[in-house]
């Protein structure tokens, strides 16, 4: 395996770093306080091809690999993991639409989705089904010309903010084989949104419940084949796990960079903090963890791109490992900042809060362990 990035990959990483430093980093704290990301940001990102990262060029996307995508989300997370993770969700939805949606629906919305003029969110989780996603209860009943949706989705990033929603609904039997994917426009009659959730982190992302009360959706908004939606959802989650791991990695790297700068400036007992051997050892341990996480993540992304039979296992393992390393690193960086790390001015406490949810979403890290164990015990290596 070639471990070096190509010139094109280096250029993509540098481009997103430059964009994020100019358009996101200086404003991330204010957006957190406002509780929203300005809509004006997204078309700028769309101009760089960031609205359809792994949508094929034939379908109007950028056509990059999943490894390329991890570089993009790592780079953007160095400015703000909350913004980067929200873009990851949109890209997962764009890929589902480009891969499975019928041509009528693609013709209606795909160009605007890829250009980020239309923002899309993902609705899978429900109040009574989190890790057991196949137990979802939101139903879609066939009617003349479409479907009638009833049910509630919970913890939806972009609820009331996004322009449309890919919703996993029950159209058939209980369990995974009775689930379909349907696109619902924000303006559809019968869709409503709960109050914004008050969260520990990711405060720039509006998060709320999405409610469907006899919500009519036309037939052409069915994505792919009826009762195959759970397959689409799980296919999207493998890539999402890589992306959220990349978001943890980028934020942890940003925390390390801030910490090294701080330790070179801050003095105690007559010398700068970086001159204390015990603190040097702590930095060294964090750097070793970060580099191990980076290699693990890129290997998993490579396996996903190569469609290796053990790709799902590696996506799960990388998600578990990298998100936990990311949280460990930012927590230790806060400690190395001392009392200043606890203040909002230095940006470290925000990273601690933002990264904590990464061990929960896209499948909890407990579920990642289950996936890994099942592969091991079935000899799928």
């Amino acid at each position: 395996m070639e471990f070096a990035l190509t010139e094109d990959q280096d250029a993509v990483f540098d481009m997103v770093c430059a964009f994020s430093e100019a358009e996101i980093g200086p404003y991330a704290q204010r957006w957190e306080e406002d509780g929203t990301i300005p809509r004006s940001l997204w078309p700028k990102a769309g101009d760089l091809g960031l609205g359809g990262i792994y949508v094929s060029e034939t379908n109007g996307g950028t056509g990059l690999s999943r490894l390329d995508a991890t570089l993009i989300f790592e780079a953007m997370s160095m400015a703000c993991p909350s913004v980067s993770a929200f873009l990851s969700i949109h890209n997962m939805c764009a890929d589902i639409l480009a891969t499975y949606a019928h041509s009528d629906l693609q013709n209606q919305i795909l160009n605007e989705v890829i250009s980020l003029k239309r923002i899309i969110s993902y609705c899978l989780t429900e109040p009574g089904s989190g890790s057991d996603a196949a137990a979802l209860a939101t139903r879609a009943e066939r009617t003349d010309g479409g479907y009638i949706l009833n049910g509630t989705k919970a913890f939806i990033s972009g609820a009331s903010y996004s322009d449309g929603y890919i919703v996993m609904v029950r159209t058939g039997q209980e369990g995974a084989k009775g689930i379909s994917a349907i696109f619902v426009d924000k303006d559809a009659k019968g869709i409503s949104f709960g109050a914004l959730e008050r969260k520990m982190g990711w405060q720039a992302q509006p998060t709320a419940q999405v409610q469907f009360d006899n919500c009519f959706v036309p037939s052409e908004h069915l994505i792919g084949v009826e009762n195959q939606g759970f397959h689409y959802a799980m296919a999207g989650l493998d890539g999402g796990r890589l992306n959220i791991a990349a978001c943890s990695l980028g934020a942890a790297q940003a925390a390390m960079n801030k910490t090294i700068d701080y330790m070179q400036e801050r003095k105690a007992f007559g010398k700068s903090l970086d001159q204390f051997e015990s603190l040097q050892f702590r930095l060294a341990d964090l750097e070793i963890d970060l580099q191990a996480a980076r290699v693990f993540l890129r290997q998993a992304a490579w396996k996903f791109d190569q469609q290796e039979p053990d790709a799902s296992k590696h996506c799960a393992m990388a998600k578990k490992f990298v998100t936990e390393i990311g949280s460990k690193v930012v927590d230790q960086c806060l400690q190395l900042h001392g009392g200043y790390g606890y203040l909002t001015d230095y940006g470290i406490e925000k990273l601690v809060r933002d990264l904590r949810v990464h061990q929960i979403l896209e499948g909890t890290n407990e579920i990642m362990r289950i996936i890994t164990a099942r592969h091991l015990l079935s000899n799928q290596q």
Side-chain angles (χ1 to χ4, degrees), residues 234 238 241 304 308-317 371 375:
M234 294 303 102
D238 270 348
R241 287 164 184 163
F304 189 105
E308 294 287 319
D310 60 351
S312 287
K313 180 182 78 170
H314 278 263
C315 289
M317 292 192 297
I371 292 170
H375 278 269

Side-chain angles (χ1 to χ4, degrees), residues 271-340:
K271 56 183 179 181
S272 59
L273 297 185
D274 66 325
Q275 297 303 306
F276 290 89
E277 189 175 62
S278 62
L279 300 184
Q280 291 176 357
F281 285 175
R282 291 177 72 173
L283 282 177
D285 286 341
L286 296 179
E287 175 67 4
I288 291 167
D289 285 343
L290 266 181
Q291 293 301 336
R294 184 171 280 114
V295 173
F296 198 176
L297 173 60
R298 291 181 181 176
Q299 181 197 39
W302 178 86
K303 282 180 174 287
F304 189 105
D305 287 329
Q306 299 301 314
Q307 299 182 340
E308 294 287 319
D310 60 351
S312 287
K313 180 182 78 170
H314 278 263
C315 289
M317 292 192 297
K319 192 268 182 181
K320 182 267 179 194
F321 184 76
V322 180
T323 57
E324 291 180 5
I325 289 297
S327 287
K328 172 186 173 182
V329 169
V330 296
D331 178 73
Q332 288 299 303
C333 286
L334 189 152
Q335 186 71 21
L336 289 167
H337 273 75
Y340 289 108

Side-chain angles (χ1 to χ4, degrees), residues 140-299:
E141 301 287 350
R142 273 189 171 276
T143 187
D144 291 341
Y147 296 86
I148 299 292
L149 276 61
N150 282 284
T152 304
K153 297 295 181 178
F155 306 118
I156 304 305
S157 291
S160 77
Y161 174 91
S162 295
D163 302 298
Y165 303 85
I166 292 180
V167 186
M168 297 297 160
V169 296
R170 186 160 305 284
T171 50
Q173 66 189 55
E174 294 301 309
K177 294 183 179 180
I179 294 172
S180 298
I182 292 179
F183 175 78
V184 182
D185 193 270
K186 179 182 180 179
D187 296 326
K189 185 178 180 180
I191 186 174
S192 60
F193 307 97
L196 295 179
E197 304 288 0
R198 299 173 63 189
K199 309 187 298 290
M200 175 180 175
W202 276 25
Q203 292 183 15
Q205 287 190 30
T207 303
Q209 289 191 347
V210 181
Q211 179 73 34
F212 303 98
D213 295 296
N214 293 322
C215 177
F216 175 77
V217 179
S219 297
E220 60 266 26
H221 284 201
L222 173 71
I223 297 173
V225 179
E226 198 172 273
N227 297 325
Q228 291 295 309
F230 197 75
H231 168 72
Y232 310 152
M234 294 303 102
L237 282 178
D238 270 348
R241 287 164 184 163
L242 295 173
N243 293 350
I244 208 64
C247 290
S248 284
L249 183 65
Q253 185 64 64
M256 277 286 285
N257 295 345
K258 291 174 183 288
T259 301
I260 291 170
D261 289 344
Y262 174 80
M263 291 176 66
Q264 289 174 339
E265 296 173 2
R266 174 73 168 168
K267 291 186 177 180
F269 306 105
K271 56 183 179 181
S272 59
L273 297 185
D274 66 325
Q275 297 303 306
F276 290 89
E277 189 175 62
S278 62
L279 300 184
Q280 291 176 357
F281 285 175
R282 291 177 72 173
L283 282 177
D285 286 341
L286 296 179
E287 175 67 4
I288 291 167
D289 285 343
L290 266 181
Q291 293 301 336
R294 184 171 280 114
V295 173
F296 198 176
L297 173 60
R298 291 181 181 176
Q299 181 197 39

Side-chain angles (χ1 to χ4, degrees), residues 340-360:
Y340 289 108
Y342 203 66
L343 304 179
T344 60
D345 309 57
Y346 286 76
I348 300 294
E349 62 85 30
K350 176 182 182 298
L351 298 179
V352 172
R353 291 185 291 101
D354 280 347
L355 263 57
R356 184 58 185 86
V357 75
H358 293 192
Q359 297 179 53
I360 298 172

